Amino acid sequence: SEPFLSATANPNKPREAIVNAVLTITPRDGVDTKPITITRSARAQFTNSGQVQADQAAAIEAQERAARSVAESLRLAVLAALGRG
C-alpha cells in the first residue's frame, strides 16, 4: 500500500515592480542647442505571500529599490551627457 501524500500549493507568488523615468534637459534661453532626453527603466522582484501587510511592505520596498536604481542610472546618464557637451 502506498502512502497518501497531500499536495500543498505554494502561496508565494513572484511579482515585479517597474519604474520608468524620462528626464528632459532643456537649454537656457538664448542657447542654440537641442534638449537632451534621457529615458531609463528599472525592475525589482518581490514575493506576495498572501499576508496583506507583508505583501504591501514587500511591494513598497521593491518600488523603492527600482526608483533608486532609476535615479542612479539617470544621474550617471546626466553626468555623461553633460560631459560630452
Side-chain angles (χ1 to χ4, degrees), residues 10-68:
N10 184 352
N12 294 330
K13 298 196 177 356
R15 301 279 190 237
E16 186 171 66
I18 302 171
V19 175
N20 298 305
V22 177
L23 173 68
T24 301
I25 303 170
T26 56
R28 300 178 87 179
D29 292 339
V31 177
D32 190 28
T33 58
K34 293 184 178 183
I36 299 169
T37 299
I38 303 167
T39 303
R40 294 292 182 266
S41 180
R43 299 166 183 259
Q45 283 77 33
F46 65 100
T47 303
N48 274 359
S49 64
Q51 298 176 2
V52 176
Q53 282 186 316
D55 291 351
Q56 288 174 344
I60 290 168
E61 193 270 336
Q63 291 164 2
E64 290 172 351
R65 278 188 288 128
R68 277 193 302 274

Side-chain angles (χ1 to χ4, degrees), residues 40 71-81:
R40 294 292 182 266
E72 179 64 10
S73 180
L74 282 175
R75 183 185 75 81
L76 294 172
V78 166
L79 290 173

